Amino acid sequence: MAAAAASLPFKKNYRSSQALQQFYAGGPFAVSSDGSFIACNCGDSIKIVDSSNASLRSSIDCGSDTITALSLSPDGKLLFSAGHSRQIRVWDLSTSTCLRSWKGHDGPVMSMACHVSGGLLATGGADRKVMVWDVDGGFCTHFFKGHDGVVSIVLFHPDSNRSLLFSGSDDGTIRVWDLLAKKCASTLRGHDSTVTSLAFSEDGLTLLAAGRDKVVSLWDLHNYACKKTIPMYEVLESVCVIHSGTVLASQLGLDDQLKVTKESAQNIHFITVGERGILRIWKSEGSVCLFKQEHSDVTVISDEDDSRSGFTAAVMLPLDQGLLCVTADQQFLFYYPEKHPEGIFSLTLCRRLVGYNEEIVDMKFLGEEENFLAVATNLEQVRVYELASMSCSYVLAGHTETVLCLDTCISSSGRTLIVTGSKDNSVRLWDSESRHCIGVGVGHMGAVGAVAFSRKRQDFFVSGSSDRTLKVWSLDGISEDGVDSTNLKAKAVVAAHDKDINSVAVAPNDSLVCSGSQDRTACVWRLPDLVSVVVLKGHKRGIWSVEFSPVDQCVLTASGDKTVKIWAISDGSCLKTFEGHVSSVLRASFLTRGTQFVSCGADGLVKLWTVRTNECIATYDQHSDKVWALAVGKKTEMLATGGSDAVVNLWYDSTASDKEDAFRKEEEGVLKGQELENAVSDADYTKAIELALELRRPHKLFELFSELCRMREVGDRVERILSALSGEEVCLLLEYIREWNAKPKLCHVAQSVLSQVFRILSPTEIVEIKGIGELLEGLIPYSQRHFSRIDRLVRSTYLLDYTLTGMSVIEPEADRSAVNDGSPDKSGLEKLEDGLLGENVGEEKIQNKEELESSAYKKRKLPRSKDRSKKKSKNVVYADAAAISFRA
């Protein structure tokens, strides 16, 4: 073990990158004009995500307002939003700030659309009104009433020369509004239910409308007559027109047919999506379905299926980038048309972005190079993500209940296998290449909460269930083509625990298996017959995770009693106990060949531990809720964590890079330190102060300002230096001044520099300094104390002046300089008298002024005592003292 530890250096730090997070909660969304990003409703916020990899560009907080409608300006610079608060807001996407907002509807705004010019915004609300707004001014330009239900969709005519606005409602009608005449041009009645989508033909002369009454109607915009009604036999959510010159048109061979001629103007090709999750392409002439998708991940087979399936919207992406379909379970599916060599047309799913993963319960790295991540959430499916783009590559669907656990391995034949356990009491074996289920194991009487592949031979796997039994399943006889599904057989079964089994693990040599249960025990069993070896007792709560050491004969367990323990397999004794989590520890896994391990728990923390020293060397708080899932890469030892917050974080070992960064910073610090000394030697105080601030050396900075304060023209020099500082440097300097100001020996320099700072910066600039309130709270009390002390000293000088004058040590100045009003200046004695006696005795002081001045020249006579009355006093010779003046 020591040799292994010597070959692998300890990991000291990990850096996380948020790979998956919630960005779409269903409802409204808007695609940019170039298709590069999508604005998505996410509860009480709006997420701007990159359409290529779902990375978050920015987030807009809307307070407590639930978003009901979104729209983007044609140039993609402005975002319009509305919610239940009836507030219509205009956002600047470059700064994520609200430019203006207003209210106009009496109910929530349910739909909105921006004019092609970007100057008008149309809104439809639950109050049955349609309103048009001036974007720049925020005032209403048009107000239309006439619908008898909620306005579900509004749309401007794509031709800016035709000032028409179309609105659809759940009353089944479509109304055409003339913006110039400000009235309803026509009412189109052809649907029996809510109108969900509107689209225009390429020539702009035909309107297509889809509704929940399972039909698509075509309307002539010359006379507003219904040209045709095509039955779809499913509730429709969206209709999109295929334009000529696009890849989709060319792959279908429609370019010749879609040329705008008199003969073909009547023939329109369009796409429909709806509740059944099937994408279909239609030709209006003859009402022919040209293409029907065989199946998708959201295909509804029967009417009794879950209502969360099916499509909710579809959008033709700009710049010929394909088709975007949105599902009821918050997925964005990007389709691109392809034509196979056999001449068969198909729509290929090229990218999938998952807007919401719900609670993540388990995950594992997948593949030889661990380039994929298999994730189990509160769904019946397993989603496999590509780590490079974090796009969902494919979905494994087959379970009828929530998938609770999974494990992966590479078989002896080189196939990548996935095993899953579910609440439907079954286990399933999947082939990742064919993406098919190749084996089903039935036999458990409760939910399967734990599965684990063999570590060496990869010819079996183990499952643990809430029925308290442990089963060993053989992989013999599974399909080699990766398509056909076989029934898996259990080689051994044992009643292992008194309560639910939460975790199972197989030893590296496939000789033992360990199970952890809610009965607070972990049991080690000998394979293949599941004979009990030892029972590990000591935890005070249920055990959530077990794992064998890769090098030692010991087992790692994590429990609900907030501890992690390492046990000896030989006698079942507890070797070490690790405490540090403040809540249940849900997962723990070894790192660095058993010398370290990582743990995560219900407190949302991820901790890195060293086994030998029992020390937690790093704690990470990147989750806001329980961390249920932990995956460790066997080759790269990269980590992945996920939990109840629906966030997946990827963790990369940054020990080596941190060491390089520290060495580089130290080297740069040495070089800049030498530059600082050179600048001091050259008396280049501007550069020296900038370097001292950059190097965070407050003592050196104080010495530099002290030297400046002792020089002549200190004000001008300090002003020039402070003017050259940036805002962050000024903020840092104020922090240092706050510390200096608290010490009496340093306060004089601090006050001098502070006065220059306030003289240079305007009040507006001072207010904009980050944390200025806290800085001033630390500066004001000590500054008041210093000024009080100085004021007392100044008053003391008046008393000294008075005393020395009375002792004839100070000669009054003969010449007094006149002040502006011509009155003589007051001496220190007079000032003291003004302060001590007050203004009431001022007149009496002026009357006795001559008497006080004459008495100052007389020698004071000491009273003689009665014993020495007859003695002569000695002559005392006083030396003439030079006049001393004190200035307050």
Side-chain angles (χ1 to χ4, degrees):
M1 181 174 175
S7 60
L8 290 175
F10 278 174
K11 293 171 173 55
K12 296 183 179 180
N13 192 24
Y14 274 86
R15 290 181 184 173
S16 71
S17 62
Q18 200 169 58
L20 292 177
Q21 58 183 318
Q22 180 182 0
F23 63 85
Y24 181 56
F29 70 95
V31 183
S32 65
S33 56
D34 58 356
S36 61
F37 66 88
I38 308 173
C40 305
N41 167 47
C42 190
D44 54 2
S45 64
I46 303 171
K47 305 288 187 181
I48 310 299
V49 297
D50 195 303
S51 58
S52 61
N53 56 10
S55 61
L56 186 64
R57 290 191 177 186
S58 62
S59 179
I60 298 174
D61 186 12
C62 300
S64 59
D65 194 12
T66 302
I67 304 301
T68 56
L70 287 174
S71 183
L72 283 166
S73 61
D75 58 5
K77 295 181 179 180
L78 299 179
L79 173 67
F80 308 97
S81 70
H84 283 165
S85 66
R86 298 173 292 157
Q87 196 84 13
I88 301 171
R89 294 184 173 95
V90 183
W91 304 89
D92 184 355
L93 291 182
S94 60
T95 60
S96 298
T97 56
C98 182
L99 298 179
R100 63 191 68 90
S101 64
W102 64 85
K103 284 185 178 180
H105 287 272
D106 297 329
V109 177
M110 305 307 296
S111 57
M112 60 171 50
C114 187
H115 192 261
V116 67
S117 64
L120 296 177
L121 177 70
T123 58
D127 56 359
R128 309 175 184 180
K129 300 174 184 176
V130 176
M131 305 181 77
V132 182
W133 308 87
D134 183 275
V135 172
D136 295 328
F139 57 86
C140 179
T141 60
H142 299 77
F143 178 86
F144 300 119
K145 295 178 66 175
H147 283 293
D148 295 329
V150 176
V151 181
S152 57
I153 185 171
V154 291
L155 189 64
F156 285 101
H157 195 282
D159 187 358
S160 59
N161 295 324
R162 303 188 66 177
S163 300
L164 296 177
L165 174 66
F166 297 80
S167 62
S169 170
D170 61 4
D171 61 4
T173 64
I174 303 168
R175 288 185 175 264
V176 185
W177 310 96
D178 191 329
L179 298 180
L180 297 180
K182 295 187 177 182
K183 65 178 182 179
C184 180
S186 180
T187 301
L188 312 181
R189 305 180 185 276
H191 290 273
D192 298 327
S193 185
T194 304
V195 179
T196 56
S197 180
L198 298 175
F200 296 95
S201 61
E202 190 171 2
D203 56 8
L205 301 178
T206 304
L207 173 69
L208 287 79
R212 294 205 171 105
D213 55 357
K214 305 181 181 181
V215 298
V216 171
S217 57
L218 282 71
W219 303 85
D220 191 335
L221 296 184
H222 285 299
N223 53 15
Y224 301 112
C226 182
K227 298 166 59 176
K228 183 173 293 187
T229 299
I230 305 174
M232 297 291 156
Y233 305 107
E234 72 165 329
V235 173
L236 296 179
E237 297 294 340
S238 190
V239 59
C240 302
V241 174
I242 302 175
H243 290 184
S244 60
T246 61
V247 176
L248 184 57
S250 61
Q251 295 291 356
L252 283 169
L254 305 178
D255 276 341
D256 296 334
Q257 304 176 34
L258 288 174
K259 290 180 181 177
V260 182
T261 60
K262 291 183 179 180
E263 293 78 12
S264 62
Q266 306 297 324
N267 194 12
I268 302 172
H269 296 80
F270 57 93
I271 299 172
T272 60
V273 296
E275 63 174 356
R276 293 195 176 277
I278 294 295
L279 192 150
R280 291 184 288 182
I281 301 177
W282 298 82
K283 182 173 68 171
S284 62
E285 186 177 355
S287 304
V288 179
C289 180
L290 301 179
F291 171 78
K292 180 180 179 181
Q293 195 177 22
E294 293 183 2
H295 69 277
S296 68
D297 298 330
V298 292
T299 301
V300 178
I301 301 174
S302 64
D303 294 336
E304 290 77 17
D305 278 5
D306 191 357
S307 61
R308 293 179 56 195
S309 301
F311 290 122
T312 59
V315 177
M316 294 295 295
L317 293 174
L319 306 179
D320 205 9
Q321 299 178 57
L323 177 69
L324 168 63
C325 293
V326 183
T327 69
D329 57 351
Q330 295 91 39
Q331 296 186 62
F332 289 84
L333 307 182
F334 294 80
Y335 290 99
Y336 198 77
E338 284 188 0
K339 198 167 187 178
H340 299 280
E342 299 82 8
I344 301 175
F345 171 83
S346 68
L347 285 171
T348 304
L349 180 62
C350 59
R351 189 163 65 256
R352 181 202 309 264
L353 305 181
V354 179
Y356 186 47
N357 275 299
E358 298 196 18
E359 190 172 18
I360 296 169
V361 295
D362 202 3
M363 63 174 68
K364 287 292 186 294
F365 287 103
L366 187 66
E368 187 77 32
E369 301 299 326
E370 298 177 347
N371 295 327
F372 296 88
L373 185 68
V375 180
T377 64
N378 273 351
L379 295 173
E380 303 82 12
Q381 307 166 342
V382 175
R383 292 168 175 168
V384 180
Y385 291 88
E386 184 183 4
L387 294 181
S389 63
M390 287 318 296
S391 169
C392 183
S393 297
Y394 55 92
V395 173
L396 303 177
H399 283 289
T400 57
E401 295 287 343
T402 302
V403 178
L404 298 176
C405 55
L406 61 88
D407 196 13
T408 62
C409 80
I410 298 176
S411 66
S412 56
S413 60
R415 300 164 62 184
T416 302
L417 301 178
I418 304 171
V419 63
T420 56
S422 169
K423 280 186 177 180
D424 60 8
N425 305 346
S426 69
V427 292
R428 285 180 175 266
L429 188 66
W430 310 82
D431 185 284
S432 65
E433 185 176 353
S434 64
R435 305 175 185 178
H436 285 85
C437 178
I438 59 176
V440 180
V442 180
H444 280 293
M445 302 302 294
V448 181
V451 290
F453 271 113
S454 65
R455 303 277 294 277
K456 187 176 181 181
R457 297 188 298 271
Q458 288 87 32
D459 58 352
F460 69 91
F461 67 89
V462 183
S463 65
S465 169
S466 61
D467 63 5
R468 309 169 190 176
T469 62
L470 198 65
K471 291 179 181 284
V472 180
W473 304 85
S474 174
L475 299 184
D476 297 336
I478 62 173
S479 173
E480 294 294 334
D481 56 7
V483 177
D484 297 333
S485 178
T486 59
N487 292 324
L488 301 175
K489 296 182 180 180
K491 297 195 298 183
V493 182
V494 66
H497 291 274
D498 297 331
K499 290 185 178 181
D500 297 359
I501 298 176
N502 294 327
S503 178
V504 294
V506 179
N509 59 0
D510 288 349
S511 62
L512 301 172
V513 61
C514 182
S515 59
S517 169
Q518 281 296 109
D519 63 5
R520 299 176 290 178
T521 64
C523 297
V524 180
W525 311 84
R526 181 176 289 109
L527 292 170
D529 300 326
L530 294 179
V531 177
S532 178
V533 175
V534 67
V535 178
L536 309 177
K537 296 182 179 181
H539 280 296
K540 298 178 182 179
R541 296 286 181 88
I543 295 176
W544 287 104
S545 175
V546 295
E547 184 172 313
F548 284 95
S549 170
V551 292
D552 289 334
Q553 297 292 317
C554 58
V555 175
L556 180 72
T557 61
S559 169
D561 61 7
K562 311 175 189 177
T563 65
V564 180
K565 292 179 180 288
I566 295 181
W567 310 80
I569 297 177
S570 58
D571 56 359
S573 61
C574 178
L575 302 177
K576 286 180 178 291
T577 300
F578 302 85
E579 297 180 350
H581 283 277
V582 296
S583 189
S584 300
V585 186
L586 302 176
R587 287 287 186 273
S589 187
F590 278 109
L591 294 172
T592 325
R593 291 190 59 79
T595 59
Q596 291 179 290
F597 70 89
V598 61
S599 64
C600 57
D603 50 10
L605 302 178
V606 178
K607 289 179 175 287
L608 180 63
W609 306 79
T610 300
V611 173
R612 183 173 59 84
T613 61
N614 280 45
E615 179 187 5
C616 175
I617 59 176
T619 300
Y620 309 101
D621 186 10
Q622 298 295 325
H623 288 274
S624 59
D625 209 338
K626 297 176 182 178
V627 183
W628 286 106
L630 170 66
V632 179
K634 296 177 182 177
K635 288 188 175 181
T636 60
E637 292 204 336
M638 178 175 64
L639 307 180
T641 57
S644 299
D645 56 0
V647 172
V648 175
N649 286 321
L650 295 179
W651 305 81
Y652 302 92
D653 180 16
S654 62
T655 305
S657 60
D658 289 348
K659 188 176 180 179
E660 292 178 2
D661 293 342
F663 178 77
R664 190 181 303 110
K665 288 181 180 179
E666 183 180 358
E667 188 177 27
E668 291 177 357
V670 171
L671 294 176
K672 289 184 178 180
Q674 186 60 48
E675 289 182 17
L676 175 60
E677 296 300 329
N678 294 339
V680 173
S681 300
D682 298 339
D684 187 354
Y685 289 99
T686 303
K687 184 177 180 181
I689 288 175
E690 289 179 354
L691 288 172
L693 285 170
E694 185 178 354
L695 294 174
R696 303 292 195 272
R697 296 185 181 180
H699 181 69
K700 191 67 177 179
L701 192 64
F702 177 80
E703 292 179 352
L704 293 171
F705 278 116
S706 299
E707 293 182 17
L708 283 172
C709 290
R710 288 193 290 268
M711 295 180 179
R712 294 182 178 179
E713 301 179 357
V714 57
D716 295 337
R717 301 194 66 170
V718 174
E719 183 176 351
R720 287 196 301 270
I721 292 172
L722 296 179
S723 300
L725 300 181
S726 64
E728 294 181 357
E729 291 174 334
V730 171
C731 182
L732 182 61
L733 177 60
L734 288 175
E735 291 180 7
Y736 292 152
I737 291 175
R738 180 181 59 183
E739 301 300 323
W740 301 339
N741 195 47
K743 301 175 182 178
K745 293 182 179 180
L746 311 180
C747 66
H748 303 88
V749 176
Q751 289 294 326
S752 176
V753 178
L754 186 62
S755 65
Q756 294 294 334
V757 171
F758 286 152
R759 186 177 294 115
I760 293 170
L761 299 180
S762 65
T764 304
E765 293 174 328
I766 293 174
V767 170
E768 292 177 352
I769 295 176
K770 186 178 180 181
I772 187 62
E774 183 181 351
L775 291 172
L776 291 178
E777 286 178 1
L779 285 169
I780 291 174
Y782 283 99
S783 297
Q784 290 176 344
R785 185 180 302 177
H786 297 324
F787 280 114
S788 298
R789 180 166 52 86
I790 295 298
D791 187 58
R792 289 195 302 270
L793 289 175
V794 171
R795 292 185 181 184
S796 300
T797 60
Y798 294 160
L799 180 60
L800 180 62
D801 193 5
Y802 175 77
T803 304
L804 294 178
T805 304
M807 295 174 62
S808 300
V809 176
I810 305 177
E811 292 183 0
E813 296 180 3
D815 298 326
R816 304 284 185 176
S817 58
V819 291
N820 294 335
D821 58 356
S823 61
D825 193 10
K826 294 182 180 180
S827 66
L829 176 62
E830 293 170 331
K831 293 178 181 177
L832 179 62
E833 289 178 344
D834 286 344
L836 297 178
L837 302 178
E839 296 179 356
N840 295 333
V841 296
E843 296 179 358
E844 182 181 351
K845 179 170 67 79
I846 293 174
Q847 294 173 0
N848 299 329
K849 180 178 180 182
E850 296 179 357
E851 183 181 351
L852 289 172
E853 289 180 351
S854 61
S855 64
Y857 288 93
K858 294 179 181 180
K859 184 188 302 181
R860 290 185 304 166
K861 297 181 179 181
L862 297 174
R864 296 184 180 183
S865 61
K866 293 181 180 180
D867 329 328
R868 301 179 182 178
S869 58
K870 297 181 180 180
K871 293 183 181 181
K872 295 182 178 179
S873 60
K874 295 182 180 180
N875 294 327
V876 181
V877 181
Y878 291 94
D880 293 335
I884 304 173
S885 61
F886 291 86
R887 294 183 181 179

